[in-house]
Amino acid sequence: MSLAFKYFKQNFKEQKFLVLVTIFLTLILAVFELVLPFFFKRFIDIAERMSQFHLQFVIYLLLYCGCLVFNNLLNVLWYVILDLISGKLLYNLRSKLFASILNMPSDIVNKTGYEKLKNVLFSDVMNIYANITMFGMKIISNVLMLIIFLTATFI
């Protein structure tokens, strides 16, 4: 866990703007996750009270659909930014690994075997990448969501 935290901290230093934008988008998405169910409940309450078709119903329906579309667009943007951050992190990780393999004595490389090195270079690096970026940001996102939900519950 300390290794993942170390890479996250290093990544934050190198890409402060993108990481801060990702955290900001996470907060906005968390708020949308809170607001959309309340908005939908309001929409249903208005629909139940209406005995006939009203313009207000159409307006609420369009607003709700607009919020859903905006939420989905923010989600896409969030994943794109995560992908940018992840790509840079993956490049740095692979570069360091290549450099350490190149600096190893050839007898150790031969003893380790090329298949094992290929496995480390591709699948192990991808696992580290997934843990640090996608899962790390998802954990941060879930913690922020929990904080916002608890705050909204007690307010």
Side-chain angles (χ1 to χ4, degrees), residues 16 19 35 41-42 58 62-63 68-70 74 78 80 83 85 99-100 107 112 125 143 145 149 155:
K16 273 185 186 171
V19 172
V35 169
K41 183 185 179 317
R42 175 96 169 122
V58 174
L62 290 175
L63 282 172
L68 283 176
V69 168
F70 187 68
L74 282 179
W78 188 69
V80 167
D83 192 45
I85 293 171
S100 67
D107 59 325
T112 304
V125 169
V143 167
M145 290 277 285
F149 281 140
I155 289 181

Side-chain angles (χ1 to χ4, degrees), residues 7 10-15 84-100 125 129:
Y7 277 113
Q10 177 186 349
N11 195 30
F12 182 77
K13 286 179 183 175
E14 292 174 1
Q15 304 175 55
L84 285 172
I85 293 171
S86 307
K88 291 178 182 181
L89 179 68
L90 186 61
Y91 176 78
N92 291 340
L93 199 58
R94 280 198 174 143
S95 297
K96 288 178 184 176
L97 191 57
F98 278 125
S100 67
V125 169
Y129 153 80

Side-chain angles (χ1 to χ4, degrees), residues 23-24 26-27 30 139-149:
I23 291 172
F24 179 71
T26 302
L27 284 171
I139 289 170
I140 291 171
S141 171
N142 289 339
V143 167
L144 288 174
M145 290 277 285
L146 183 64
I147 290 169
I148 290 173
F149 281 140

Side-chain angles (χ1 to χ4, degrees), residues 33-67:
E33 291 296 322
L34 267 175
V35 169
L36 283 174
F38 291 122
F39 196 61
F40 189 70
K41 183 185 179 317
R42 175 96 169 122
F43 173 68
I44 296 297
D45 289 344
I46 288 172
E48 285 178 347
R49 280 188 265 135
M50 290 183 193
S51 59
Q52 57 183 339
F53 184 78
H54 288 280
L55 182 62
Q56 187 180 14
F57 178 79
V58 174
I59 291 171
Y60 270 100
L61 178 64
L62 290 175
L63 282 172
Y64 182 73
C65 289
C67 286

